[in-house]
Amino acid sequence: MSEMLLNIVLADDDEDDRMLFSEAIDEIQIRTKLSLFNHGQELMDYLNLPNVVLPSLIFLDLNMPIKNGQQCLIEIRSNPRLKDLCVAIYSTSSSEKDIEDTFLNGANIYVNKPNNFGKLREVVEKVLQLNWQYHTSNLNKETFLFRI
């Protein structure tokens, strides 16, 4: 049986963060296709393309120019075609308000950006291995904030 290919998207305005994330994905033993976007508007333009293959999982940075992660999240959840996508907030912010707002706006998980590569790889791998159906059906404040 062939392994499923996970279609992953990362929207992050920080070039170093995009590069590290990409390297972490390369080192994980999960077949993935990664698409990178520099800001939220670029991501939304892509998701709204007529024949786009929708991603299995979106990693969304909160603080981006043009359109931030919170705005993208609201737009995704209010679009009938996109509303069921899995969205992981991927941010350096550990502000209670950001966590609360993204939870209320319908993100599936909140991941704090790790400060070293080993941790990043571990976090990304664990998030990709989550049973999303189970995770989202049992979503509460405790399971929302992903800690490693």
mmCIF file of all heavy atoms in Angstrom, residues 24 26 33 110 128 143 146:
data_model
loop_
_atom_site.group_PDB
_atom_site.id
_atom_site.type_symbol
_atom_site.label_atom_id
_atom_site.label_comp_id
_atom_site.label_asym_id
_atom_site.label_seq_id
_atom_site.Cartn_x
_atom_site.Cartn_y
_atom_site.Cartn_z
ATOM 1 N N ALA A 24 13.248 20.891 8.506
ATOM 2 C CA ALA A 24 12.665 19.950 9.472
ATOM 3 C C ALA A 24 11.765 18.952 8.745
ATOM 4 O O ALA A 24 11.835 17.740 8.994
ATOM 5 C CB ALA A 24 11.876 20.710 10.534
ATOM 6 N N ASP A 26 11.992 18.004 5.665
ATOM 7 C CA ASP A 26 12.846 17.099 4.878
ATOM 8 C C ASP A 26 13.407 15.953 5.716
ATOM 9 O O ASP A 26 13.647 14.870 5.206
ATOM 10 C CB ASP A 26 14.039 17.861 4.271
ATOM 11 C CG ASP A 26 13.596 18.742 3.110
ATOM 12 O OD1 ASP A 26 12.461 18.562 2.614
ATOM 13 O OD2 ASP A 26 14.380 19.633 2.720
ATOM 14 N N LYS A 33 4.510 17.126 0.777
ATOM 15 C CA LYS A 33 4.748 18.145 -0.246
ATOM 16 C C LYS A 33 4.520 19.457 0.486
ATOM 17 O O LYS A 33 3.449 19.682 1.051
ATOM 18 C CB LYS A 33 3.742 17.974 -1.380
ATOM 19 C CG LYS A 33 3.789 19.110 -2.403
ATOM 20 C CD LYS A 33 2.637 18.950 -3.402
ATOM 21 C CE LYS A 33 2.648 20.072 -4.422
ATOM 22 N NZ LYS A 33 2.133 21.347 -3.881
ATOM 23 N N TYR A 110 -2.460 25.084 18.463
ATOM 24 C CA TYR A 110 -1.591 26.248 18.601
ATOM 25 C C TYR A 110 -0.200 25.754 18.957
ATOM 26 O O TYR A 110 -0.015 25.113 19.986
ATOM 27 C CB TYR A 110 -2.115 27.167 19.706
ATOM 28 C CG TYR A 110 -1.506 28.549 19.708
ATOM 29 C CD1 TYR A 110 -2.241 29.633 19.224
ATOM 30 C CD2 TYR A 110 -0.225 28.783 20.183
ATOM 31 C CE1 TYR A 110 -1.701 30.913 19.216
ATOM 32 C CE2 TYR A 110 0.326 30.047 20.179
ATOM 33 C CZ TYR A 110 -0.424 31.113 19.701
ATOM 34 O OH TYR A 110 0.118 32.377 19.691
ATOM 35 N N LEU A 128 2.295 16.368 12.624
ATOM 36 C CA LEU A 128 1.930 15.643 11.398
ATOM 37 C C LEU A 128 1.383 14.255 11.711
ATOM 38 O O LEU A 128 0.603 13.711 10.943
ATOM 39 C CB LEU A 128 3.136 15.506 10.460
ATOM 40 C CG LEU A 128 3.693 16.801 9.871
ATOM 41 C CD1 LEU A 128 4.784 16.498 8.865
ATOM 42 C CD2 LEU A 128 2.611 17.654 9.239
ATOM 43 N N THR A 143 -6.138 20.625 24.995
ATOM 44 C CA THR A 143 -5.532 19.955 23.845
ATOM 45 C C THR A 143 -5.157 20.951 22.756
ATOM 46 O O THR A 143 -4.402 20.631 21.848
ATOM 47 C CB THR A 143 -6.480 18.896 23.238
ATOM 48 O OG1 THR A 143 -7.699 19.551 22.869
ATOM 49 C CG2 THR A 143 -6.755 17.785 24.212
ATOM 50 N N PHE A 146 -0.391 23.142 21.971
ATOM 51 C CA PHE A 146 0.473 21.977 21.798
ATOM 52 C C PHE A 146 1.787 22.186 22.515
ATOM 53 O O PHE A 146 2.522 23.109 22.203
ATOM 54 C CB PHE A 146 0.687 21.746 20.315
ATOM 55 C CG PHE A 146 1.380 20.454 20.008
ATOM 56 C CD1 PHE A 146 0.679 19.257 20.065
ATOM 57 C CD2 PHE A 146 2.711 20.429 19.654
ATOM 58 C CE1 PHE A 146 1.304 18.055 19.779
ATOM 59 C CE2 PHE A 146 3.351 19.233 19.355
ATOM 60 C CZ PHE A 146 2.640 18.047 19.426
#
